[in-house]
Short mmCIF file of all heavy atoms in Angstrom, two decimals:
data_model
loop_
_atom_site.label_atom_id
_atom_site.label_comp_id
_atom_site.label_asym_id
_atom_site.label_seq_id
_atom_site.Cartn_x
_atom_site.Cartn_y
_atom_site.Cartn_z
N PHE A 17 0.83 -1.19 0.00
CA PHE A 17 0.00 0.00 0.00
C PHE A 17 0.87 1.25 0.00
O PHE A 17 2.00 1.24 0.47
CB PHE A 17 -0.91 0.03 1.23
CG PHE A 17 -1.83 -1.15 1.34
CD1 PHE A 17 -1.46 -2.28 2.06
CD2 PHE A 17 -3.07 -1.16 0.72
CE1 PHE A 17 -2.29 -3.37 2.17
CE2 PHE A 17 -3.92 -2.24 0.81
CZ PHE A 17 -3.53 -3.35 1.54
N MET A 18 0.27 2.34 -0.50
CA MET A 18 0.96 3.62 -0.52
C MET A 18 -0.04 4.71 -0.14
O MET A 18 -1.21 4.65 -0.53
CB MET A 18 1.52 3.89 -1.92
CG MET A 18 2.25 5.23 -2.05
SD MET A 18 3.00 5.43 -3.70
CE MET A 18 1.51 5.73 -4.68
N ARG A 19 0.43 5.66 0.67
CA ARG A 19 -0.42 6.82 0.97
C ARG A 19 -0.67 7.56 -0.32
O ARG A 19 0.24 7.89 -1.05
CB ARG A 19 0.30 7.74 1.98
CG ARG A 19 -0.40 9.08 2.23
CD ARG A 19 -1.73 8.89 2.93
NE ARG A 19 -2.31 10.16 3.35
CZ ARG A 19 -3.19 10.87 2.65
NH1 ARG A 19 -3.61 10.43 1.47
NH2 ARG A 19 -3.68 12.00 3.12
N ARG A 20 -1.94 7.79 -0.61
CA ARG A 20 -2.31 8.41 -1.87
C ARG A 20 -1.68 9.80 -1.96
O ARG A 20 -1.80 10.61 -1.04
CB ARG A 20 -3.83 8.53 -1.96
CG ARG A 20 -4.33 9.09 -3.27
CD ARG A 20 -5.84 9.02 -3.31
NE ARG A 20 -6.37 9.62 -4.51
CZ ARG A 20 -7.67 9.64 -4.81
NH1 ARG A 20 -8.53 9.07 -3.99
NH2 ARG A 20 -8.09 10.22 -5.91
N PRO A 21 -1.03 10.11 -3.07
CA PRO A 21 -0.43 11.45 -3.22
C PRO A 21 -1.51 12.52 -3.22
O PRO A 21 -2.64 12.29 -3.66
CB PRO A 21 0.27 11.38 -4.59
CG PRO A 21 0.47 9.92 -4.85
CD PRO A 21 -0.71 9.23 -4.21
N LEU A 22 -1.16 13.70 -2.72
CA LEU A 22 -2.06 14.83 -2.78
C LEU A 22 -1.77 15.58 -4.07
O LEU A 22 -0.65 16.02 -4.30
CB LEU A 22 -1.84 15.76 -1.57
CG LEU A 22 -2.21 15.18 -0.21
CD1 LEU A 22 -1.83 16.15 0.90
CD2 LEU A 22 -3.69 14.84 -0.14
N ASP A 23 -2.76 15.70 -4.92
CA ASP A 23 -2.58 16.29 -6.23
C ASP A 23 -3.61 17.40 -6.43
O ASP A 23 -4.82 17.12 -6.46
CB ASP A 23 -2.73 15.21 -7.31
CG ASP A 23 -2.38 15.72 -8.70
OD1 ASP A 23 -3.04 16.68 -9.15
OD2 ASP A 23 -1.46 15.17 -9.32
N VAL A 24 -3.15 18.62 -6.53
CA VAL A 24 -4.06 19.76 -6.65
C VAL A 24 -4.89 19.66 -7.93
O VAL A 24 -6.11 19.86 -7.91
CB VAL A 24 -3.29 21.09 -6.61
CG1 VAL A 24 -4.23 22.26 -6.89
CG2 VAL A 24 -2.61 21.27 -5.26
N GLN A 25 -4.26 19.32 -9.06
CA GLN A 25 -5.00 19.27 -10.32
C GLN A 25 -6.05 18.17 -10.31
O GLN A 25 -7.16 18.34 -10.82
CB GLN A 25 -4.04 19.05 -11.50
CG GLN A 25 -4.72 19.15 -12.87
CD GLN A 25 -5.43 20.49 -13.06
OE1 GLN A 25 -4.83 21.55 -12.87
NE2 GLN A 25 -6.71 20.45 -13.41
N GLU A 26 -5.72 17.02 -9.72
CA GLU A 26 -6.71 15.95 -9.61
C GLU A 26 -7.91 16.41 -8.79
O GLU A 26 -9.07 16.11 -9.12
CB GLU A 26 -6.09 14.70 -8.99
CG GLU A 26 -7.08 13.55 -8.85
CD GLU A 26 -6.52 12.37 -8.08
OE1 GLU A 26 -5.58 12.56 -7.28
OE2 GLU A 26 -7.03 11.25 -8.26
N THR A 27 -7.64 17.15 -7.72
CA THR A 27 -8.72 17.67 -6.90
C THR A 27 -9.62 18.60 -7.69
O THR A 27 -10.85 18.51 -7.64
CB THR A 27 -8.13 18.44 -5.70
OG1 THR A 27 -7.36 17.54 -4.89
CG2 THR A 27 -9.23 19.06 -4.85
N LEU A 28 -9.02 19.49 -8.47
CA LEU A 28 -9.79 20.42 -9.28
C LEU A 28 -10.63 19.67 -10.31
O LEU A 28 -11.80 20.01 -10.55
CB LEU A 28 -8.86 21.42 -9.98
CG LEU A 28 -8.05 22.34 -9.05
CD1 LEU A 28 -7.11 23.21 -9.87
CD2 LEU A 28 -8.97 23.21 -8.19
N ASP A 29 -10.05 18.64 -10.92
CA ASP A 29 -10.77 17.85 -11.92
C ASP A 29 -11.96 17.13 -11.30
O ASP A 29 -13.07 17.10 -11.87
CB ASP A 29 -9.83 16.83 -12.57
CG ASP A 29 -8.79 17.47 -13.47
OD1 ASP A 29 -8.93 18.67 -13.79
OD2 ASP A 29 -7.82 16.79 -13.84
N LEU A 30 -11.74 16.51 -10.14
CA LEU A 30 -12.81 15.76 -9.49
C LEU A 30 -13.97 16.68 -9.09
O LEU A 30 -15.15 16.34 -9.28
CB LEU A 30 -12.28 15.04 -8.25
CG LEU A 30 -11.42 13.79 -8.51
CD1 LEU A 30 -10.73 13.35 -7.23
CD2 LEU A 30 -12.28 12.65 -9.06
N TYR A 31 -13.64 17.85 -8.57
CA TYR A 31 -14.70 18.76 -8.15
C TYR A 31 -15.40 19.40 -9.34
O TYR A 31 -16.59 19.72 -9.27
CB TYR A 31 -14.15 19.81 -7.17
CG TYR A 31 -14.23 19.34 -5.74
CD1 TYR A 31 -13.32 18.41 -5.25
CD2 TYR A 31 -15.25 19.76 -4.90
CE1 TYR A 31 -13.41 17.93 -3.95
CE2 TYR A 31 -15.35 19.30 -3.60
CZ TYR A 31 -14.43 18.39 -3.13
OH TYR A 31 -14.54 17.92 -1.85
N GLU A 32 -14.68 19.58 -10.43
CA GLU A 32 -15.32 20.07 -11.65
C GLU A 32 -16.36 19.05 -12.14
O GLU A 32 -17.47 19.42 -12.56
CB GLU A 32 -14.26 20.32 -12.73
CG GLU A 32 -14.77 21.04 -13.96
CD GLU A 32 -13.63 21.40 -14.90
OE1 GLU A 32 -13.17 20.51 -15.64
OE2 GLU A 32 -13.19 22.56 -14.87
N ALA A 33 -15.99 17.78 -12.10
CA ALA A 33 -16.92 16.72 -12.49
C ALA A 33 -18.10 16.66 -11.52
O ALA A 33 -19.25 16.47 -11.94
CB ALA A 33 -16.19 15.37 -12.52
N ARG A 34 -17.82 16.85 -10.25
CA ARG A 34 -18.90 16.82 -9.25
C ARG A 34 -19.89 17.94 -9.50
O ARG A 34 -21.12 17.73 -9.41
CB ARG A 34 -18.30 16.93 -7.84
CG ARG A 34 -19.36 16.90 -6.75
CD ARG A 34 -18.78 17.18 -5.39
NE ARG A 34 -19.85 17.45 -4.44
CZ ARG A 34 -19.68 18.01 -3.24
NH1 ARG A 34 -18.46 18.34 -2.84
NH2 ARG A 34 -20.69 18.22 -2.45
N VAL A 35 -19.40 19.14 -9.81
CA VAL A 35 -20.30 20.26 -10.10
C VAL A 35 -21.21 19.92 -11.27
O VAL A 35 -22.43 20.15 -11.22
CB VAL A 35 -19.49 21.54 -10.41
CG1 VAL A 35 -20.42 22.62 -11.00
CG2 VAL A 35 -18.83 22.08 -9.15
N ALA A 36 -20.64 19.33 -12.32
CA ALA A 36 -21.44 19.00 -13.51
C ALA A 36 -22.54 17.99 -13.17
O ALA A 36 -23.70 18.15 -13.58
CB ALA A 36 -20.52 18.44 -14.60
N VAL A 37 -22.19 16.94 -12.42
CA VAL A 37 -23.17 15.91 -12.08
C VAL A 37 -24.24 16.47 -11.14
O VAL A 37 -25.45 16.24 -11.35
CB VAL A 37 -22.47 14.70 -11.42
CG1 VAL A 37 -23.49 13.72 -10.86
CG2 VAL A 37 -21.58 13.99 -12.44
N GLU A 38 -23.84 17.22 -10.12
CA GLU A 38 -24.82 17.71 -9.16
C GLU A 38 -25.71 18.80 -9.76
O GLU A 38 -26.88 18.95 -9.37
CB GLU A 38 -24.12 18.20 -7.89
CG GLU A 38 -23.48 17.06 -7.09
CD GLU A 38 -23.52 17.30 -5.60
OE1 GLU A 38 -24.55 17.80 -5.09
OE2 GLU A 38 -22.51 16.99 -4.94
N ARG A 39 -25.18 19.58 -10.68
CA ARG A 39 -26.04 20.56 -11.36
C ARG A 39 -27.17 19.87 -12.12
O ARG A 39 -28.32 20.31 -12.08
CB ARG A 39 -25.21 21.40 -12.33
CG ARG A 39 -24.53 22.62 -11.73
CD ARG A 39 -23.73 23.32 -12.80
NE ARG A 39 -23.10 24.52 -12.30
CZ ARG A 39 -22.13 25.17 -12.96
NH1 ARG A 39 -21.70 24.70 -14.13
NH2 ARG A 39 -21.60 26.26 -12.45
N GLU A 40 -26.82 18.79 -12.82
CA GLU A 40 -27.84 18.07 -13.57
C GLU A 40 -28.84 17.40 -12.62
O GLU A 40 -30.05 17.39 -12.89
CB GLU A 40 -27.21 17.03 -14.49
CG GLU A 40 -28.18 16.28 -15.38
CD GLU A 40 -28.96 17.19 -16.33
OE1 GLU A 40 -28.55 18.36 -16.52
OE2 GLU A 40 -29.98 16.73 -16.88
N CYS A 41 -28.34 16.85 -11.52
CA CYS A 41 -29.25 16.28 -10.52
C CYS A 41 -30.21 17.35 -10.01
O CYS A 41 -31.42 17.11 -9.86
CB CYS A 41 -28.44 15.72 -9.34
SG CYS A 41 -27.59 14.16 -9.68
N LEU A 42 -29.68 18.53 -9.74
CA LEU A 42 -30.50 19.61 -9.22
C LEU A 42 -31.53 20.07 -10.25
O LEU A 42 -32.69 20.34 -9.91
CB LEU A 42 -29.62 20.79 -8.80
CG LEU A 42 -30.31 21.93 -8.06
CD1 LEU A 42 -30.80 21.44 -6.70
CD2 LEU A 42 -29.36 23.11 -7.87
#
């Protein structure tokens, strides 16, 4: 096992995807 790296760009990408999905849900 490895401690998952902290990646700023991955975070931005994931939250961008979350906004898109939750907007459509809303």
